[in-house]
Amino acid sequence: LRKKLFIFYYYGRGNEENARLDYEKFYKRISGKVDFNRDLTIDRAFCPDVRDLMKRLRDLTDRANDVDELYLHFSGHGSEAGIPYKDWILANDNFVALLRHPKIKCCFFSSCQSADLARLASEAEIPVVLGTAGANDIENDYAIDFQNEFYSKLFDSFTYKAAYEYAVTYAD
């Protein structure tokens, strides 16, 4: 199966440094997996405003003919209401509506307070969804360690559950 991991960095003004650090510590490391897995491509987009995030997500799903499975990773600040930007919040239910696509197999919401977003995505029949429990905040270095280990194992043919359990153990 041809797989694509697409990482969306969303951030508001003043949070550019967090996106850059995640890019340095996560994207650059995990993109090395492409060298060992010919059926995997990894790409990313920096989305400084909500319109850019929505457009890039629509473009990705509209042009998904070259892959069998999409894995979407969202990295940025979250709130219980949705994805906060400078002057607007992309509400969780509106965001999930953009994720309804048969090739999307996994959504990983690496943001604080993403429990409601993850629940809605799961209800939208996305097979695998990861987010934070409750309204918990997550520390950036822990999140980066966790996502590195999760994807490394997932793309080394671990099951979702085994990759998750390994990442929990490693990052803890």
Side-chain angles (χ1 to χ4, degrees), residues 1 7 11 18 58 65 73 84 100 106 151 162:
L1 293 175
I7 304 164
Y11 51 91
N18 286 341
R58 278 192 203 108
N65 296 333
H73 184 94
R100 294 183 188 272
C106 177
Y151 287 116

Side-chain angles (χ1 to χ4, degrees), residues 46-86:
F46 291 90
C47 304
D49 64 61
V50 71
R51 288 171 294 285
D52 191 49
L53 175 64
M54 293 170 69
K55 180 186 179 320
R56 289 179 183 266
L57 185 54
R58 278 192 203 108
D59 288 349
L60 178 66
T61 55
D62 287 348
R63 297 183 182 121
N65 296 333
D66 61 337
V67 297
D68 298 304
E69 296 182 348
L70 285 171
Y71 300 78
L72 305 183
H73 184 94
F74 300 93
S75 181
H77 286 290
S79 74
E80 289 183 24
I83 307 300
Y85 278 99
K86 179 178 80 170

Side-chain angles (χ1 to χ4, degrees), residues 2 5 8 18 24-25 29 51 62 69 74 76 80-81 84 92 96 98 100 104 120 129 133 137 141 147 157 163 166:
R2 297 164 301 153
L5 169 61
F8 293 88
N18 286 341
E24 293 290 328
K25 294 180 179 179
R29 180 174 167 203
R51 288 171 294 285
D62 287 348
E69 296 182 348
F74 300 93
E80 289 183 24
N92 288 334
V96 169
L98 296 171
R100 294 183 188 272
I104 296 176
L120 289 169
V129 179
D137 287 342
D141 287 336
Q147 59 204 32
S157 300
Y166 182 87

Side-chain angles (χ1 to χ4, degrees), residues 125-166:
E125 299 182 9
I126 295 169
V128 176
V129 179
L130 287 90
T132 58
N136 295 330
D137 287 342
I138 53 176
E139 195 267 322
N140 282 348
D141 287 336
Y142 174 85
I144 291 167
D145 286 346
F146 181 91
Q147 59 204 32
N148 272 317
E149 294 307 318
F150 174 76
Y151 287 116
S152 291
K153 295 306 177 193
L154 184 63
F155 296 131
D156 280 341
S157 300
F158 279 49
T159 64
Y160 289 104
K161 182 179 179 187
Y164 174 84
E165 289 172 350
Y166 182 87

